[in-house]
Amino acid sequence: MARFRHLLAGLGLAVLATASAQAQPFSGFYLGGGAGYHLPENLGIKTPAPASSGISLQTNGGLVGLGSVGYGFGNGWRLELEGSYRGGDIPKIRGGGIDGPASGSARTYGVMVNALFDMDVGSPWVYPYLGGGVGYAWSQLHNVSFGTGSGTSLSVNATKGRPAVQAIAGLSFPMPGVPGLSMTSEYRFMGVLGDATYGATANPGATPANLTVRNQYSHGFLLGVRYAFG
């Protein structure tokens, strides 16, 4: 959470420093979408004994995709409602004396409300923008299985919801000859906040157990398109 506060504070100062500059002439409703590469940070977890709490699931990169509908106010500011998906495989478990294989995937579905500011830097071809968002995310551990030490293993197939936040930095490129149409390039940092406890099964014996996942952080690199009506 601390790292997100620092990043969001930096973005906020950058927005305030440029808010007095001429904004992109953008007004009315718009639709947007994008896709790209999702780079999640490893998942810190706490498992039942005999495993240590200082272990993590290694997560590979995967797909991020999103769609949004929003409104531009004509002064650079805009608000939007966004739905997103992020996913990646889980190949390993490490830490606490454990270094072994894992299987399954981690998927995150989010609904966010974003506030963004488009800036005019003196070029009609490119408009930088900064923003941030708050919302809710559902994190799914899909058919995840791994060893916890001493011959035991844990399997999880469950979904939990938690509050989420994100920071956004991007560039939009208006398309000549097509008023309202822009291509976009973005970086997004997303945090799913707080511990999430999943119901799991410990083997052998198939006994009920719990798996706790710490704060979840990820980085997204996207290319997209946006169309402004009017």
Side-chain angles (χ1 to χ4, degrees):
M1 182 62 177
R3 79 181 78 179
F4 179 80
R5 286 199 301 266
H6 294 156
L7 179 59
L8 193 58
L11 286 174
L13 290 174
V15 169
L16 291 175
T18 56
S20 59
Q22 183 180 358
Q24 181 182 5
F26 180 86
S27 180
F29 288 99
Y30 66 89
L31 295 175
Y37 185 67
H38 163 58
L39 182 61
E41 298 186 11
N42 292 341
L43 299 177
I45 62 173
K46 180 179 180 181
T47 66
S52 165
S53 60
I55 59 179
S56 63
L57 294 172
Q58 178 181 322
T59 49
N60 286 345
L63 173 69
V64 53
L66 60 87
S68 61
V69 58
Y71 188 86
F73 296 95
N75 59 359
W77 289 101
R78 52 190 168 93
L79 290 175
E80 67 178 27
L81 177 66
E82 168 208 313
S84 65
Y85 165 83
R86 293 165 171 83
D89 293 333
I90 298 177
K92 277 184 170 291
I93 179 172
R94 288 178 173 172
I98 302 173
D99 188 355
S103 61
S105 61
R107 305 171 181 177
T108 302
Y109 306 87
V111 176
M112 309 291 289
V113 176
N114 303 319
L116 304 105
F117 184 78
D118 297 303
M119 293 169 280
D120 188 340
V121 292
S123 169
W125 309 109
V126 59
Y127 292 91
Y129 57 91
L130 297 172
V134 296
Y136 203 77
W138 293 264
S139 298
Q140 179 187 35
L141 296 181
H142 179 68
N143 293 332
V144 173
S145 181
F146 54 87
T148 62
S150 301
T152 63
S153 65
L154 208 64
S155 58
V156 190
N157 190 20
T159 303
K160 287 291 182 180
R162 297 293 302 169
V165 292
Q166 69 175 343
I168 305 167
L171 300 169
S172 65
F173 305 90
M175 294 292 99
V178 188
L181 182 65
S182 297
M183 304 301 292
T184 60
S185 174
E186 287 187 345
Y187 165 75
R188 294 184 178 227
F189 173 84
M190 184 176 185
V192 181
L193 307 179
D195 293 354
T197 300
Y198 296 80
T201 301
N203 296 294
T207 57
N210 288 323
L211 171 70
T212 299
V213 178
R214 309 295 191 188
N215 295 333
Q216 302 166 54
Y217 301 110
S218 66
H219 309 267
F221 307 89
L222 302 96
L223 296 176
V225 62
R226 184 176 70 214
Y227 183 78
F229 300 93

